[in-house]
Amino acid sequence: MYKDFIKRIIDFSAALLGFLFLSPIFLVVMIGLSIANRGKPFFFQKRPGKNEKIFKIIKFKTMNDKKNLEGNLLSDAERLTAMGSFVRKTSLDEIPQLLNVIKGDMSLIGPRPLLVQYLPLYDEEQKKRHRVRPGITGWAQVNGRNAISWEKKFEFDVWYVENLSFLLDVKIIFQTLKKVFIREGISQEGQATMEVFKGNN
């Protein structure tokens, strides 16, 4: 009942109210990133959702588009702007995803939606993470976020799918607020965010 019906009602209602409440911050960040990124405050990218259905995720753009002499994008660390770094550390870059939740592409809580090119790299167990809507935050995020290995992250994702409940979601919400406050697990050691997933060895 909760998983198939009530969760979606809570997602829509909370995301709508949250977006309205955060709209002043949304506008300030949008203006700041428009200046930092030459008029491009938003980042759009295709991601797999529930049952691997592709949708476009929207986030605040925290990195510029600077390239090297060969025309290739510089590393994430080199392209991360000062404004973008602040927005990412405070998790303000997640605010636009409330629009994805309102649309029904995402949930407030669930496995993070990863890159489309990762789909062929998952084993059968890891594919279970797509049995529910992806979330803005999730069990893996409150247990390490980007600071843990891919294998561990997928273990947490699948565990969440198999143990999804209202009480678990409430627990994740409170733990997420704590993580945001102490700014823990934002990046993996030696990386600006998280290293690329290359499949299972």
Side-chain angles (χ1 to χ4, degrees):
M1 182 73 171
Y2 172 72
K3 176 181 177 181
D4 299 322
F5 183 66
I6 298 177
K7 183 175 171 70
R8 175 59 191 149
I9 294 175
I10 293 175
D11 279 339
F12 178 83
S13 303
L16 182 59
L17 290 174
F19 187 78
L20 292 175
F21 178 76
L22 294 171
S23 57
I25 298 175
F26 179 90
L27 290 173
V28 170
V29 175
M30 183 179 71
I31 293 171
L33 289 176
S34 292
I35 296 171
N37 297 322
R38 299 180 180 179
K40 297 179 180 179
F42 299 112
F43 170 79
F44 298 91
Q45 190 175 56
K46 290 182 178 180
R47 300 285 177 95
K50 184 178 180 180
N51 299 321
E52 300 184 3
K53 180 181 178 182
I54 307 301
F55 71 97
K56 277 191 176 181
I57 195 172
I58 175 173
K59 298 181 72 173
F60 278 128
K61 188 177 176 68
T62 57
M63 294 185 288
N64 58 41
D65 298 317
K66 290 183 178 180
K67 300 179 180 180
N68 59 25
L69 296 177
E70 287 74 40
N72 300 313
L73 286 173
L74 297 175
S75 68
D76 288 357
E78 292 175 297
R79 295 188 295 119
L80 185 63
T81 63
M83 177 70 179
S85 179
F86 170 77
V87 169
R88 181 172 290 178
K89 286 179 179 178
T90 53
S91 295
L92 294 175
D93 58 322
E94 310 291 355
I95 293 178
Q97 289 173 75
L98 291 173
L99 298 174
N100 286 121
V101 177
I102 293 170
K103 286 176 58 183
D105 298 326
M106 294 177 62
S107 172
L108 292 175
I109 303 164
R112 286 294 296 156
L114 302 176
L115 301 177
V116 173
Q117 56 261 41
Y118 292 172
L119 287 175
L121 304 179
Y122 300 134
D123 60 29
E124 290 305 311
E125 184 70 9
Q126 292 166 348
K127 286 181 179 180
K128 292 180 181 178
R129 69 191 308 278
H130 294 117
R131 291 182 180 177
V132 299
R133 286 186 178 89
I136 294 178
T137 186
W139 190 236
Q141 278 60 53
V142 298
N143 282 286
R145 198 174 176 178
N146 289 331
I148 58 177
S149 69
W150 281 112
E151 289 73 19
K152 199 66 181 176
K153 181 178 292 189
F154 294 144
E155 285 180 20
F156 284 132
D157 287 342
V158 173
W159 186 90
Y160 172 80
V161 171
E162 295 178 339
N163 294 275
L164 196 162
S165 70
F166 173 72
L167 290 178
L168 179 58
D169 279 356
V170 170
K171 180 178 180 179
I172 292 172
I173 286 292
F174 280 107
Q175 290 191 12
T176 296
L177 294 175
K178 177 183 176 183
K179 292 283 184 180
V180 170
F181 181 75
I182 63 177
R183 301 180 186 180
E184 183 179 74
I186 294 169
S187 61
Q188 192 172 52
E189 186 175 352
Q191 303 287 330
T193 51
M194 180 78 181
E195 66 176 351
V196 174
F197 178 54
K198 299 177 181 178
N200 300 286
N201 297 321

